[in-house]
Amino acid sequence: MSTPPVAVLAYPRFHAILRWRSRQVGTVRIGINLRGDLAKLNDEALKSQLEKCVADRQALAPHVGDALSRRFYENRVSMPFGRGPFHARIFYRIMARMYGLPLNGYSLGDLYLLDCEIKDIIGELKRREHIARRQGLKR
């Protein structure tokens, strides 16, 4: 069986950071993935982009909004539809505006955009891992 891509090996470390966000483990997420830019990246570039996004999120998270707003955000009360039906940066900005989240560089809206970016990268890693496993079983 072939080894998974390098970026997939780093996946569990980053998944722990987002575990509090994924309360619907095992459910099917319905959405149209429009992130062709991630599919074009090689494993190393994808891994470095994921590390950069996670570092940005860790730096931003403690400083955005007040405690009550952060609590609502963490418990998904303020965002009942998550990323929305279309997975692309422009649609995340639209969804952030629909949720009433400001986008000014240090707000909950920016944290939402980072979380969506991280979820997209992790989704791409899962897709590559699934393909690698499927190709390994066919050999």
Side-chain angles (χ1 to χ4, degrees):
M1 184 172 212
S2 65
T3 61
V6 175
V8 175
L9 297 175
Y11 166 71
R13 185 175 72 185
F14 296 113
H15 181 65
I17 294 168
L18 296 176
R19 189 171 298 146
W20 58 271
R21 297 285 298 172
S22 40
R23 305 213 190 271
Q24 299 175 349
V25 175
T27 61
V28 176
R29 298 208 186 269
I30 299 173
I32 299 169
N33 186 4
L34 302 173
R35 294 300 304 267
D37 59 326
L38 295 177
K40 294 175 186 172
L41 295 175
N42 64 11
D43 293 332
E44 291 300 321
L46 200 59
K47 180 182 174 187
S48 66
Q49 186 174 355
L50 180 62
E51 289 174 351
K52 179 186 174 295
C53 287
V54 169
D56 290 346
R57 188 198 188 288
Q58 288 176 340
L60 182 64
H63 304 292
V64 297
D66 57 358
L68 184 61
S69 296
R70 278 196 307 267
R71 177 77 71 189
F72 280 142
Y73 178 78
E74 289 172 359
N75 292 323
R76 298 182 61 160
V77 173
S78 62
M79 304 174 323
F81 302 111
R83 290 187 284 175
F86 301 105
H87 299 173
R89 287 181 182 145
I90 186 69
F91 292 109
Y92 298 151
R93 290 186 167 282
I94 292 169
M95 292 297 288
R97 293 291 184 193
M98 286 176 54
Y99 292 141
L101 301 172
L103 300 171
N104 56 11
Y106 52 90
S107 66
L108 282 174
D110 297 304
L111 187 62
Y112 170 75
L113 293 178
L114 274 173
D115 283 344
C116 291
E117 182 76 17
I118 291 170
K119 287 178 184 180
D120 283 345
I121 294 171
I122 289 175
E124 177 64 21
L125 292 173
K126 284 182 179 181
R127 184 187 72 81
R128 290 182 186 191
E129 181 181 28
H130 178 72
I131 289 171
R133 283 185 184 167
R134 192 172 52 197
Q135 288 176 352
L137 292 176
K138 287 183 181 178
R139 291 181 188 170

